[in-house]
Amino acid sequence: NKFKANIDSVFRALWWDYGSNAAYFVTICTLEQSALFGSIIKGRSELSAIGHIANSCWHEIPKHFPFVELGVHTVLPNHVHGIVIGNKPPPHSPSPIPMVDHRIPQIQKNIFGPQSKNLASTIRGFKIGVTINARLINSKQRRQSRYHDHIIIDDQAYHRISNFIIIIQRTGKKKNLIINGASPQKIRRHTLIQ
């Protein structure tokens, strides 16, 4: 519906082309933040059957979206954190040209049009895969419609965020973690993390 489309556009950076080659820090939550993907036991995330599905679907992303590379990720009880890297080949080229650092994006204005071969289509595909397979376990399974993203602007930010995800993966804890001088809870959507 038209109202939902307007709300969703508020959650995306209108000044950014999400189809451009760049790295994104993505957080995808379960509906109502229920512990659908597992639980934390002795400081470690123990995945449920649906958590294993989410993990498997994450690894499958490049098979369905060949223009995507994956950075680190973790599946926690009620959400997934991960880095998604768009790496499309230039026009008239059969494969991506290796770049010195393809994670450093050039700011490009959003181009409105078909929502394919961009971050939204990639995340939508991941969520559809998780939902379809989760419904084999729980037929009433529903999914959260939105996700959070941060555009990663440089190599330092990429490494800080990767370390943040790895620490959470190992400890199951976010408390007192700092990225770019701010706790993860204080980082706003659509900021260029530097």
Side-chain angles (χ1 to χ4, degrees):
N1 91 28
K2 185 177 178 181
F3 180 71
K4 182 185 179 308
N6 288 338
I7 286 178
D8 284 346
S9 69
V10 171
F11 292 103
R12 301 292 152 243
L14 298 177
W15 47 268
W16 181 258
D17 176 7
Y18 284 91
S20 62
N21 287 345
Y24 303 93
F25 172 41
V26 177
T27 301
I28 304 163
C29 296
T30 59
L31 186 65
E32 298 173 354
Q33 296 189 1
S34 61
L36 182 66
F37 296 148
S39 56
I40 301 291
I41 299 174
K42 295 183 181 178
R44 299 215 22 113
S45 183
E46 297 292 330
L47 298 182
S48 66
I50 295 175
H52 284 289
I53 289 169
N55 193 51
S56 177
C57 287
W58 185 268
H59 288 288
E60 295 282 322
I61 289 173
K63 291 180 183 176
H64 301 283
F65 301 92
F67 61 91
V68 170
E69 297 173 17
L70 298 174
V72 296
H73 83 285
T74 190
V75 179
L76 296 166
N78 64 358
H79 64 284
V80 175
H81 284 306
I83 295 177
V84 176
I85 305 163
N87 192 18
K88 292 185 218 169
H92 312 295
S93 174
S95 62
I97 295 173
M99 297 182 213
V100 174
D101 190 350
H102 61 274
R103 293 177 300 233
I104 300 175
Q106 300 296 316
I107 293 181
Q108 300 175 36
K109 188 166 175 48
N110 196 12
I111 300 169
F112 295 97
Q115 292 297 300
S116 65
K117 296 186 179 180
N118 63 13
L119 182 63
S121 67
T122 302
I123 300 304
R124 183 172 52 248
F126 165 76
K127 290 166 81 173
I128 288 169
V130 173
T131 301
I132 287 171
N133 288 290
R135 284 183 179 159
L136 298 174
I137 297 169
N138 176 356
S139 64
K140 296 180 181 180
Q141 181 57 49
R142 297 180 325 160
R143 63 185 169 105
Q144 174 67 275
S145 62
R146 294 183 189 80
Y147 62 93
H148 303 285
D149 69 83
H150 298 286
I151 303 160
I152 301 173
I153 195 69
D154 65 20
D155 204 44
Q156 281 184 316
Y158 183 90
H159 290 294
R160 275 194 302 272
I161 292 166
S162 293
N163 288 336
F164 166 77
I165 294 170
I166 290 166
I167 290 168
I168 291 171
Q169 191 175 44
R170 289 183 183 158
T171 65
K173 298 177 184 175
K174 289 187 188 181
K175 193 172 182 181
N176 300 324
L177 290 176
I178 303 295
I179 297 177
N180 196 28
S183 67
Q185 295 79 9
K186 292 184 180 178
I187 295 175
R188 297 281 182 231
R189 290 181 202 102
H190 318 306
T191 55
L192 293 174
I193 299 178
Q194 300 181 23

